[in-house]
PDB file of all heavy atoms in Angstrom:
ATOM      1  N   LEU L   1     107.931  80.645  88.421  1.00  0.00           N
ATOM      2  CA  LEU L   1     108.148  82.035  88.749  1.00  0.00           C
ATOM      3  C   LEU L   1     109.485  82.578  88.251  1.00  0.00           C
ATOM      4  O   LEU L   1     109.581  83.653  87.731  1.00  0.00           O
ATOM      5  CB  LEU L   1     108.151  82.205  90.324  1.00  0.00           C
ATOM      6  CG  LEU L   1     106.669  82.255  90.859  1.00  0.00           C
ATOM      7  CD1 LEU L   1     106.727  82.076  92.352  1.00  0.00           C
ATOM      8  CD2 LEU L   1     106.017  83.520  90.484  1.00  0.00           C
ATOM      9  N   LYS L   2     110.516  81.682  88.289  1.00  0.00           N
ATOM     10  CA  LYS L   2     111.795  82.104  87.686  1.00  0.00           C
ATOM     11  C   LYS L   2     111.719  82.393  86.224  1.00  0.00           C
ATOM     12  O   LYS L   2     112.243  83.392  85.721  1.00  0.00           O
ATOM     13  CB  LYS L   2     112.805  81.019  87.935  1.00  0.00           C
ATOM     14  CG  LYS L   2     113.366  80.815  89.372  1.00  0.00           C
ATOM     15  CD  LYS L   2     114.346  79.765  89.431  1.00  0.00           C
ATOM     16  CE  LYS L   2     114.882  79.566  90.899  1.00  0.00           C
ATOM     17  NZ  LYS L   2     115.884  78.486  91.011  1.00  0.00           N
ATOM     18  N   LEU L   3     110.971  81.533  85.512  1.00  0.00           N
ATOM     19  CA  LEU L   3     110.734  81.766  84.082  1.00  0.00           C
ATOM     20  C   LEU L   3     109.892  83.056  83.810  1.00  0.00           C
ATOM     21  O   LEU L   3     110.198  83.801  82.905  1.00  0.00           O
ATOM     22  CB  LEU L   3     110.021  80.604  83.485  1.00  0.00           C
ATOM     23  CG  LEU L   3     110.823  79.309  83.363  1.00  0.00           C
ATOM     24  CD1 LEU L   3     109.988  78.171  82.856  1.00  0.00           C
ATOM     25  CD2 LEU L   3     111.989  79.516  82.348  1.00  0.00           C
ATOM     26  N   ALA L   4     109.001  83.287  84.729  1.00  0.00           N
ATOM     27  CA  ALA L   4     108.123  84.433  84.541  1.00  0.00           C
ATOM     28  C   ALA L   4     108.891  85.717  84.706  1.00  0.00           C
ATOM     29  O   ALA L   4     108.646  86.677  84.003  1.00  0.00           O
ATOM     30  CB  ALA L   4     106.950  84.434  85.575  1.00  0.00           C
ATOM     31  N   PHE L   5     109.820  85.772  85.678  1.00  0.00           N
ATOM     32  CA  PHE L   5     110.606  86.947  85.890  1.00  0.00           C
ATOM     33  C   PHE L   5     111.738  87.154  84.841  1.00  0.00           C
ATOM     34  O   PHE L   5     112.075  88.299  84.561  1.00  0.00           O
ATOM     35  CB  PHE L   5     111.266  86.930  87.331  1.00  0.00           C
ATOM     36  CG  PHE L   5     110.436  87.416  88.421  1.00  0.00           C
ATOM     37  CD1 PHE L   5     109.728  86.515  89.277  1.00  0.00           C
ATOM     38  CD2 PHE L   5     110.171  88.761  88.498  1.00  0.00           C
ATOM     39  CE1 PHE L   5     109.000  86.969  90.299  1.00  0.00           C
ATOM     40  CE2 PHE L   5     109.403  89.221  89.606  1.00  0.00           C
ATOM     41  CZ  PHE L   5     108.786  88.342  90.468  1.00  0.00           C
ATOM     42  N   GLU L   6     112.170  86.016  84.314  1.00  0.00           N
ATOM     43  CA  GLU L   6     113.403  86.153  83.473  1.00  0.00           C
ATOM     44  C   GLU L   6     113.202  85.950  82.037  1.00  0.00           C
ATOM     45  O   GLU L   6     114.159  85.976  81.215  1.00  0.00           O
ATOM     46  CB  GLU L   6     114.436  85.181  84.049  1.00  0.00           C
ATOM     47  CG  GLU L   6     114.840  85.542  85.435  1.00  0.00           C
ATOM     48  CD  GLU L   6     115.959  84.698  86.042  1.00  0.00           C
ATOM     49  OE1 GLU L   6     116.082  83.573  85.544  1.00  0.00           O
ATOM     50  OE2 GLU L   6     116.519  85.108  87.058  1.00  0.00           O
ATOM     51  N   THR L   7     112.000  85.588  81.536  1.00  0.00           N
ATOM     52  CA  THR L   7     111.695  85.439  80.135  1.00  0.00           C
ATOM     53  C   THR L   7     110.441  86.257  79.749  1.00  0.00           C
ATOM     54  O   THR L   7     109.657  86.685  80.571  1.00  0.00           O
ATOM     55  CB  THR L   7     111.353  83.972  79.810  1.00  0.00           C
ATOM     56  OG1 THR L   7     110.250  83.559  80.474  1.00  0.00           O
ATOM     57  CG2 THR L   7     112.585  83.112  80.231  1.00  0.00           C
ATOM     58  N   LYS L   8     110.280  86.499  78.460  1.00  0.00           N
ATOM     59  CA  LYS L   8     109.195  87.233  77.924  1.00  0.00           C
ATOM     60  C   LYS L   8     108.041  86.407  77.591  1.00  0.00           C
ATOM     61  O   LYS L   8     108.191  85.206  77.216  1.00  0.00           O
ATOM     62  CB  LYS L   8     109.695  88.063  76.761  1.00  0.00           C
ATOM     63  CG  LYS L   8     110.658  89.162  77.056  1.00  0.00           C
ATOM     64  CD  LYS L   8     110.888  90.027  75.785  1.00  0.00           C
ATOM     65  CE  LYS L   8     111.873  91.146  76.130  1.00  0.00           C
ATOM     66  NZ  LYS L   8     112.261  91.996  74.872  1.00  0.00           N
ATOM     67  N   TYR L   9     106.822  86.946  77.768  1.00  0.00           N
ATOM     68  CA  TYR L   9     105.589  86.168  77.340  1.00  0.00           C
ATOM     69  C   TYR L   9     105.579  85.752  75.893  1.00  0.00           C
ATOM     70  O   TYR L   9     105.906  86.522  75.033  1.00  0.00           O
ATOM     71  CB  TYR L   9     104.437  87.023  77.749  1.00  0.00           C
ATOM     72  CG  TYR L   9     103.113  86.512  77.169  1.00  0.00           C
ATOM     73  CD1 TYR L   9     102.448  85.356  77.793  1.00  0.00           C
ATOM     74  CD2 TYR L   9     102.512  87.047  76.042  1.00  0.00           C
ATOM     75  CE1 TYR L   9     101.277  84.886  77.309  1.00  0.00           C
ATOM     76  CE2 TYR L   9     101.291  86.538  75.474  1.00  0.00           C
ATOM     77  CZ  TYR L   9     100.641  85.494  76.127  1.00  0.00           C
ATOM     78  OH  TYR L   9      99.498  84.997  75.671  1.00  0.00           O
ATOM     79  N   THR L  10     105.058  84.554  75.628  1.00  0.00           N
ATOM     80  CA  THR L  10     104.827  84.121  74.223  1.00  0.00           C
ATOM     81  C   THR L  10     103.467  83.474  74.249  1.00  0.00           C
ATOM     82  O   THR L  10     102.947  83.049  75.255  1.00  0.00           O
ATOM     83  CB  THR L  10     105.861  83.135  73.749  1.00  0.00           C
ATOM     84  OG1 THR L  10     105.609  81.870  74.326  1.00  0.00           O
ATOM     85  CG2 THR L  10     107.296  83.624  74.038  1.00  0.00           C
ATOM     86  N   THR L  11     102.818  83.366  73.086  1.00  0.00           N
ATOM     87  CA  THR L  11     101.502  82.700  72.960  1.00  0.00           C
ATOM     88  C   THR L  11     101.626  81.204  73.194  1.00  0.00           C
ATOM     89  O   THR L  11     100.584  80.543  73.265  1.00  0.00           O
ATOM     90  CB  THR L  11     100.926  83.014  71.570  1.00  0.00           C
ATOM     91  OG1 THR L  11     101.861  82.598  70.554  1.00  0.00           O
ATOM     92  CG2 THR L  11     100.646  84.528  71.386  1.00  0.00           C
ATOM     93  N   TYR L  12     102.770  80.725  73.292  1.00  0.00           N
ATOM     94  CA  TYR L  12     102.986  79.255  73.458  1.00  0.00           C
ATOM     95  C   TYR L  12     103.231  78.960  74.995  1.00  0.00           C
ATOM     96  O   TYR L  12     103.469  77.776  75.395  1.00  0.00           O
ATOM     97  CB  TYR L  12     104.181  78.742  72.703  1.00  0.00           C
ATOM     98  CG  TYR L  12     104.015  79.032  71.223  1.00  0.00           C
ATOM     99  CD1 TYR L  12     104.739  80.064  70.580  1.00  0.00           C
ATOM    100  CD2 TYR L  12     103.190  78.249  70.405  1.00  0.00           C
ATOM    101  CE1 TYR L  12     104.650  80.287  69.228  1.00  0.00           C
ATOM    102  CE2 TYR L  12     103.036  78.465  69.054  1.00  0.00           C
ATOM    103  CZ  TYR L  12     103.742  79.493  68.454  1.00  0.00           C
ATOM    104  OH  TYR L  12     103.613  79.682  67.123  1.00  0.00           O
ATOM    105  N   ASP L  13     103.123  79.875  75.862  1.00  0.00           N
ATOM    106  CA  ASP L  13     103.319  79.656  77.220  1.00  0.00           C
ATOM    107  C   ASP L  13     102.333  78.672  77.754  1.00  0.00           C
ATOM    108  O   ASP L  13     101.092  78.810  77.559  1.00  0.00           O
ATOM    109  CB  ASP L  13     103.243  80.946  78.099  1.00  0.00           C
ATOM    110  CG  ASP L  13     104.443  81.833  77.939  1.00  0.00           C
ATOM    111  OD1 ASP L  13     105.464  81.410  77.368  1.00  0.00           O
ATOM    112  OD2 ASP L  13     104.292  82.972  78.426  1.00  0.00           O
ATOM    113  N   PRO L  14     102.755  77.585  78.556  1.00  0.00           N
ATOM    114  CA  PRO L  14     101.815  76.709  79.131  1.00  0.00           C
ATOM    115  C   PRO L  14     101.026  77.429  80.295  1.00  0.00           C
ATOM    116  O   PRO L  14     101.496  78.451  80.813  1.00  0.00           O
ATOM    117  CB  PRO L  14     102.694  75.557  79.680  1.00  0.00           C
ATOM    118  CG  PRO L  14     104.014  76.196  79.882  1.00  0.00           C
ATOM    119  CD  PRO L  14     104.149  77.219  78.777  1.00  0.00           C
ATOM    120  N   GLU L  15      99.921  76.893  80.643  1.00  0.00           N
ATOM    121  CA  GLU L  15      99.049  77.552  81.650  1.00  0.00           C
ATOM    122  C   GLU L  15      99.748  77.820  82.984  1.00  0.00           C
ATOM    123  O   GLU L  15      99.653  78.894  83.476  1.00  0.00           O
ATOM    124  CB  GLU L  15      97.844  76.643  81.868  1.00  0.00           C
ATOM    125  CG  GLU L  15      96.733  77.403  82.768  1.00  0.00           C
ATOM    126  CD  GLU L  15      96.238  78.614  82.078  1.00  0.00           C
ATOM    127  OE1 GLU L  15      96.039  78.661  80.872  1.00  0.00           O
ATOM    128  OE2 GLU L  15      95.997  79.611  82.851  1.00  0.00           O
ATOM    129  N   PRO L  16     100.502  76.906  83.512  1.00  0.00           N
ATOM    130  CA  PRO L  16     101.258  77.237  84.780  1.00  0.00           C
ATOM    131  C   PRO L  16     102.185  78.430  84.665  1.00  0.00           C
ATOM    132  O   PRO L  16     102.258  79.194  85.613  1.00  0.00           O
ATOM    133  CB  PRO L  16     102.039  76.028  85.052  1.00  0.00           C
ATOM    134  CG  PRO L  16     101.271  74.937  84.440  1.00  0.00           C
ATOM    135  CD  PRO L  16     100.782  75.544  83.135  1.00  0.00           C
ATOM    136  N   LEU L  17     102.823  78.617  83.480  1.00  0.00           N
ATOM    137  CA  LEU L  17     103.678  79.740  83.269  1.00  0.00           C
ATOM    138  C   LEU L  17     102.869  81.022  83.172  1.00  0.00           C
ATOM    139  O   LEU L  17     103.242  82.100  83.666  1.00  0.00           O
ATOM    140  CB  LEU L  17     104.594  79.551  82.105  1.00  0.00           C
ATOM    141  CG  LEU L  17     105.534  80.689  81.766  1.00  0.00           C
ATOM    142  CD1 LEU L  17     106.355  81.083  82.958  1.00  0.00           C
ATOM    143  CD2 LEU L  17     106.397  80.281  80.520  1.00  0.00           C
ATOM    144  N   VAL L  18     101.695  80.926  82.485  1.00  0.00           N
ATOM    145  CA  VAL L  18     100.819  82.109  82.344  1.00  0.00           C
ATOM    146  C   VAL L  18     100.370  82.600  83.737  1.00  0.00           C
ATOM    147  O   VAL L  18     100.434  83.791  84.145  1.00  0.00           O
ATOM    148  CB  VAL L  18      99.605  81.810  81.485  1.00  0.00           C
ATOM    149  CG1 VAL L  18      98.533  82.918  81.537  1.00  0.00           C
ATOM    150  CG2 VAL L  18      99.978  81.530  80.049  1.00  0.00           C
ATOM    151  N   GLN L  19     100.022  81.634  84.583  1.00  0.00           N
ATOM    152  CA  GLN L  19      99.609  81.961  85.967  1.00  0.00           C
ATOM    153  C   GLN L  19     100.809  82.558  86.766  1.00  0.00           C
ATOM    154  O   GLN L  19     100.603  83.510  87.547  1.00  0.00           O
ATOM    155  CB  GLN L  19      99.037  80.772  86.681  1.00  0.00           C
ATOM    156  CG  GLN L  19      97.670  80.327  86.048  1.00  0.00           C
ATOM    157  CD  GLN L  19      97.056  79.151  86.918  1.00  0.00           C
ATOM    158  OE1 GLN L  19      97.459  78.887  87.975  1.00  0.00           O
ATOM    159  NE2 GLN L  19      96.126  78.455  86.267  1.00  0.00           N
ATOM    160  N   ALA L  20     101.966  82.006  86.556  1.00  0.00           N
ATOM    161  CA  ALA L  20     103.176  82.537  87.159  1.00  0.00           C
ATOM    162  C   ALA L  20     103.440  84.062  86.757  1.00  0.00           C
ATOM    163  O   ALA L  20     103.843  84.798  87.534  1.00  0.00           O
ATOM    164  CB  ALA L  20     104.372  81.669  86.916  1.00  0.00           C
ATOM    165  N   ARG L  21     103.309  84.291  85.473  1.00  0.00           N
ATOM    166  CA  ARG L  21     103.519  85.662  85.051  1.00  0.00           C
ATOM    167  C   ARG L  21     102.532  86.646  85.675  1.00  0.00           C
ATOM    168  O   ARG L  21     102.857  87.726  86.025  1.00  0.00           O
ATOM    169  CB  ARG L  21     103.343  85.736  83.497  1.00  0.00           C
ATOM    170  CG  ARG L  21     104.428  84.993  82.728  1.00  0.00           C
ATOM    171  CD  ARG L  21     104.367  85.348  81.184  1.00  0.00           C
ATOM    172  NE  ARG L  21     105.270  84.429  80.490  1.00  0.00           N
ATOM    173  CZ  ARG L  21     106.631  84.535  80.415  1.00  0.00           C
ATOM    174  NH1 ARG L  21     107.154  85.530  81.065  1.00  0.00           N
ATOM    175  NH2 ARG L  21     107.327  83.737  79.664  1.00  0.00           N
ATOM    176  N   PHE L  22     101.288  86.208  85.810  1.00  0.00           N
ATOM    177  CA  PHE L  22     100.298  87.012  86.564  1.00  0.00           C
ATOM    178  C   PHE L  22     100.734  87.244  87.936  1.00  0.00           C
ATOM    179  O   PHE L  22     100.718  88.439  88.443  1.00  0.00           O
ATOM    180  CB  PHE L  22      98.931  86.324  86.517  1.00  0.00           C
ATOM    181  CG  PHE L  22      97.868  86.973  87.351  1.00  0.00           C
ATOM    182  CD1 PHE L  22      96.973  87.853  86.660  1.00  0.00           C
ATOM    183  CD2 PHE L  22      97.690  86.696  88.666  1.00  0.00           C
ATOM    184  CE1 PHE L  22      95.985  88.534  87.427  1.00  0.00           C
ATOM    185  CE2 PHE L  22      96.721  87.375  89.377  1.00  0.00           C
ATOM    186  CZ  PHE L  22      95.833  88.251  88.819  1.00  0.00           C
ATOM    187  N   THR L  23     101.212  86.244  88.663  1.00  0.00           N
ATOM    188  CA  THR L  23     101.622  86.311  90.047  1.00  0.00           C
ATOM    189  C   THR L  23     102.830  87.227  90.130  1.00  0.00           C
ATOM    190  O   THR L  23     102.941  88.090  91.033  1.00  0.00           O
ATOM    191  CB  THR L  23     101.965  84.945  90.608  1.00  0.00           C
ATOM    192  OG1 THR L  23     100.760  84.164  90.521  1.00  0.00           O
ATOM    193  CG2 THR L  23     102.386  85.072  92.023  1.00  0.00           C
ATOM    194  N   ALA L  24     103.748  87.066  89.219  1.00  0.00           N
ATOM    195  CA  ALA L  24     105.026  87.937  89.222  1.00  0.00           C
ATOM    196  C   ALA L  24     104.655  89.404  89.064  1.00  0.00           C
ATOM    197  O   ALA L  24     105.113  90.274  89.792  1.00  0.00           O
ATOM    198  CB  ALA L  24     105.898  87.530  88.058  1.00  0.00           C
ATOM    199  N   LYS L  25     103.707  89.690  88.150  1.00  0.00           N
ATOM    200  CA  LYS L  25     103.263  91.064  88.034  1.00  0.00           C
ATOM    201  C   LYS L  25     102.592  91.584  89.260  1.00  0.00           C
ATOM    202  O   LYS L  25     102.822  92.780  89.606  1.00  0.00           O
ATOM    203  CB  LYS L  25     102.337  91.221  86.798  1.00  0.00           C
ATOM    204  CG  LYS L  25     102.012  92.724  86.471  1.00  0.00           C
ATOM    205  CD  LYS L  25     101.298  92.818  85.193  1.00  0.00           C
ATOM    206  CE  LYS L  25     101.103  94.342  84.812  1.00  0.00           C
ATOM    207  NZ  LYS L  25     100.320  94.488  83.508  1.00  0.00           N
ATOM    208  N   LYS L  26     101.775  90.823  89.939  1.00  0.00           N
ATOM    209  CA  LYS L  26     101.137  91.162  91.150  1.00  0.00           C
ATOM    210  C   LYS L  26     102.247  91.505  92.225  1.00  0.00           C
ATOM    211  O   LYS L  26     102.050  92.511  92.891  1.00  0.00           O
ATOM    212  CB  LYS L  26     100.233  90.076  91.638  1.00  0.00           C
ATOM    213  CG  LYS L  26      99.522  90.388  92.989  1.00  0.00           C
ATOM    214  CD  LYS L  26      98.591  89.262  93.300  1.00  0.00           C
ATOM    215  CE  LYS L  26      97.958  89.529  94.685  1.00  0.00           C
ATOM    216  NZ  LYS L  26      96.992  88.494  95.123  1.00  0.00           N
ATOM    217  N   TYR L  27     103.258  90.676  92.330  1.00  0.00           N
ATOM    218  CA  TYR L  27     104.243  90.883  93.323  1.00  0.00           C
ATOM    219  C   TYR L  27     105.088  92.117  93.040  1.00  0.00           C
ATOM    220  O   TYR L  27     105.325  92.883  93.995  1.00  0.00           O
ATOM    221  CB  TYR L  27     105.276  89.687  93.320  1.00  0.00           C
ATOM    222  CG  TYR L  27     104.662  88.400  93.834  1.00  0.00           C
ATOM    223  CD1 TYR L  27     105.335  87.157  93.714  1.00  0.00           C
ATOM    224  CD2 TYR L  27     103.537  88.362  94.623  1.00  0.00           C
ATOM    225  CE1 TYR L  27     104.857  85.955  94.185  1.00  0.00           C
ATOM    226  CE2 TYR L  27     102.992  87.170  95.117  1.00  0.00           C
ATOM    227  CZ  TYR L  27     103.715  85.946  94.910  1.00  0.00           C
ATOM    228  OH  TYR L  27     103.194  84.827  95.422  1.00  0.00           O
ATOM    229  N   VAL L  28     105.333  92.404  91.791  1.00  0.00           N
ATOM    230  CA  VAL L  28     106.073  93.647  91.494  1.00  0.00           C
ATOM    231  C   VAL L  28     105.275  94.905  91.817  1.00  0.00           C
ATOM    232  O   VAL L  28     105.797  95.830  92.443  1.00  0.00           O
ATOM    233  CB  VAL L  28     106.492  93.642  89.980  1.00  0.00           C
ATOM    234  CG1 VAL L  28     107.055  95.048  89.596  1.00  0.00           C
ATOM    235  CG2 VAL L  28     107.518  92.539  89.682  1.00  0.00           C
ATOM    236  N   GLY L  29     104.007  94.875  91.514  1.00  0.00           N
ATOM    237  CA  GLY L  29     103.120  96.048  91.854  1.00  0.00           C
ATOM    238  C   GLY L  29     103.100  96.220  93.388  1.00  0.00           C
ATOM    239  O   GLY L  29     103.156  97.350  93.876  1.00  0.00           O
ATOM    240  N   GLN L  30     102.939  95.166  94.094  1.00  0.00           N
ATOM    241  CA  GLN L  30     102.984  95.227  95.581  1.00  0.00           C
ATOM    242  C   GLN L  30     104.275  95.820  96.086  1.00  0.00           C
ATOM    243  O   GLN L  30     104.250  96.741  96.886  1.00  0.00           O
ATOM    244  CB  GLN L  30     102.789  93.795  96.100  1.00  0.00           C
ATOM    245  CG  GLN L  30     102.830  93.774  97.690  1.00  0.00           C
ATOM    246  CD  GLN L  30     102.770  92.351  98.183  1.00  0.00           C
ATOM    247  OE1 GLN L  30     102.803  91.399  97.386  1.00  0.00           O
ATOM    248  NE2 GLN L  30     102.635  92.191  99.486  1.00  0.00           N
ATOM    249  N   ALA L  31     105.420  95.311  95.674  1.00  0.00           N
ATOM    250  CA  ALA L  31     106.700  95.768  96.225  1.00  0.00           C
ATOM    251  C   ALA L  31     107.052  97.219  95.794  1.00  0.00           C
ATOM    252  O   ALA L  31     107.618  98.003  96.561  1.00  0.00           O
ATOM    253  CB  ALA L  31     107.825  94.825  95.745  1.00  0.00           C
ATOM    254  N   MET L  32     106.622  97.519  94.618  1.00  0.00           N
ATOM    255  CA  MET L  32     106.820  98.959  94.159  1.00  0.00           C
ATOM    256  C   MET L  32     106.080  99.904  95.023  1.00  0.00           C
ATOM    257  O   MET L  32     106.603 101.013  95.331  1.00  0.00           O
ATOM    258  CB  MET L  32     106.506  99.110  92.621  1.00  0.00           C
ATOM    259  CG  MET L  32     107.406  98.429  91.694  1.00  0.00           C
ATOM    260  SD  MET L  32     109.043  99.016  91.699  1.00  0.00           S
ATOM    261  CE  MET L  32     109.798  98.064  90.365  1.00  0.00           C
ATOM    262  N   THR L  33     104.837  99.542  95.401  1.00  0.00           N
ATOM    263  CA  THR L  33     104.128 100.468  96.261  1.00  0.00           C
ATOM    264  C   THR L  33     104.679 100.549  97.678  1.00  0.00           C
ATOM    265  O   THR L  33     104.674 101.571  98.343  1.00  0.00           O
ATOM    266  CB  THR L  33     102.695 100.109  96.266  1.00  0.00           C
ATOM    267  OG1 THR L  33     102.557  98.702  96.744  1.00  0.00           O
ATOM    268  CG2 THR L  33     101.963 100.257  94.982  1.00  0.00           C
ATOM    269  N   TYR L  34     105.299  99.401  98.192  1.00  0.00           N
ATOM    270  CA  TYR L  34     106.000  99.445  99.405  1.00  0.00           C
ATOM    271  C   TYR L  34     107.129 100.499  99.316  1.00  0.00           C
ATOM    272  O   TYR L  34     107.299 101.268 100.218  1.00  0.00           O
ATOM    273  CB  TYR L  34     106.532  98.079  99.815  1.00  0.00           C
ATOM    274  CG  TYR L  34     105.610  97.097 100.340  1.00  0.00           C
ATOM    275  CD1 TYR L  34     105.620  95.774  99.942  1.00  0.00           C
ATOM    276  CD2 TYR L  34     104.707  97.462 101.405  1.00  0.00           C
ATOM    277  CE1 TYR L  34     104.766  94.799 100.523  1.00  0.00           C
ATOM    278  CE2 TYR L  34     103.809  96.521 101.961  1.00  0.00           C
ATOM    279  CZ  TYR L  34     103.927  95.215 101.514  1.00  0.00           C
ATOM    280  OH  TYR L  34     103.001  94.333 102.029  1.00  0.00           O
ATOM    281  N   GLY L  35     107.866 100.370  98.181  1.00  0.00           N
ATOM    282  CA  GLY L  35     108.998 101.283  98.097  1.00  0.00           C
ATOM    283  C   GLY L  35     108.525 102.749  98.056  1.00  0.00           C
ATOM    284  O   GLY L  35     109.179 103.630  98.582  1.00  0.00           O
ATOM    285  N   TRP L  36     107.362 102.923  97.406  1.00  0.00           N
ATOM    286  CA  TRP L  36     106.832 104.289  97.282  1.00  0.00           C
ATOM    287  C   TRP L  36     106.402 104.833  98.712  1.00  0.00           C
ATOM    288  O   TRP L  36     106.632 105.955  98.942  1.00  0.00           O
ATOM    289  CB  TRP L  36     105.581 104.281  96.340  1.00  0.00           C
ATOM    290  CG  TRP L  36     105.120 105.592  95.953  1.00  0.00           C
ATOM    291  CD1 TRP L  36     105.888 106.726  95.559  1.00  0.00           C
ATOM    292  CD2 TRP L  36     103.739 106.035  95.755  1.00  0.00           C
ATOM    293  NE1 TRP L  36     105.090 107.772  95.203  1.00  0.00           N
ATOM    294  CE2 TRP L  36     103.734 107.353  95.353  1.00  0.00           C
ATOM    295  CE3 TRP L  36     102.553 105.378  95.888  1.00  0.00           C
ATOM    296  CZ2 TRP L  36     102.630 108.020  94.983  1.00  0.00           C
ATOM    297  CZ3 TRP L  36     101.408 105.995  95.642  1.00  0.00           C
ATOM    298  CH2 TRP L  36     101.392 107.338  95.247  1.00  0.00           C
ATOM    299  N   GLY L  37     105.911 103.889  99.484  1.00  0.00           N
ATOM    300  CA  GLY L  37     105.609 104.286 100.869  1.00  0.00           C
ATOM    301  C   GLY L  37     106.802 104.707 101.653  1.00  0.00           C
ATOM    302  O   GLY L  37     106.802 105.734 102.429  1.00  0.00           O
ATOM    303  N   TRP L  38     107.915 103.947 101.536  1.00  0.00           N
ATOM    304  CA  TRP L  38     109.140 104.336 102.236  1.00  0.00           C
ATOM    305  C   TRP L  38     109.697 105.641 101.709  1.00  0.00           C
ATOM    306  O   TRP L  38     110.189 106.514 102.421  1.00  0.00           O
ATOM    307  CB  TRP L  38     110.234 103.243 102.001  1.00  0.00           C
ATOM    308  CG  TRP L  38     110.073 102.043 102.895  1.00  0.00           C
ATOM    309  CD1 TRP L  38     109.469 100.812 102.659  1.00  0.00           C
ATOM    310  CD2 TRP L  38     110.451 101.963 104.296  1.00  0.00           C
ATOM    311  NE1 TRP L  38     109.431 100.021 103.717  1.00  0.00           N
ATOM    312  CE2 TRP L  38     110.053 100.702 104.759  1.00  0.00           C
ATOM    313  CE3 TRP L  38     110.999 102.801 105.177  1.00  0.00           C
ATOM    314  CZ2 TRP L  38     110.278 100.283 106.078  1.00  0.00           C
ATOM    315  CZ3 TRP L  38     111.286 102.442 106.431  1.00  0.00           C
ATOM    316  CH2 TRP L  38     110.910 101.192 106.889  1.00  0.00           C
ATOM    317  N   GLU L  39     109.616 105.855 100.396  1.00  0.00           N
ATOM    318  CA  GLU L  39     110.103 107.072  99.749  1.00  0.00           C
ATOM    319  C   GLU L  39     109.307 108.300 100.304  1.00  0.00           C
ATOM    320  O   GLU L  39     109.900 109.335 100.604  1.00  0.00           O
ATOM    321  CB  GLU L  39     109.992 107.012  98.247  1.00  0.00           C
ATOM    322  CG  GLU L  39     110.676 108.052  97.476  1.00  0.00           C
ATOM    323  CD  GLU L  39     110.644 107.925  95.975  1.00  0.00           C
ATOM    324  OE1 GLU L  39     109.502 107.603  95.489  1.00  0.00           O
ATOM    325  OE2 GLU L  39     111.704 108.184  95.365  1.00  0.00           O
TER     326      GLU L  39
END
């Protein structure tokens, strides 16, 4: 997850990192909508 948040995607990413990038994007979308709700 640290790599997913702090590095860019490449075609050489191993499968666990690909899944972590997916999860990181899901988390960001979730938290941004929370912020929108507060706003």
Side-chain angles (χ1 to χ4, degrees):
L1 281 165
K2 287 180 178 179
L3 289 172
F5 274 106
E6 298 183 341
T7 65
K8 293 183 178 180
Y9 168 78
T10 75
T11 56
Y12 303 103
D13 285 351
E15 189 61 38
L17 179 53
V18 171
Q19 292 183 16
R21 292 192 190 282
F22 175 93
T23 300
K25 186 170 184 180
K26 178 178 180 178
Y27 289 167
V28 171
Q30 176 186 6
M32 290 297 182
T33 55
Y34 281 137
W36 195 39
W38 281 100
E39 190 177 44

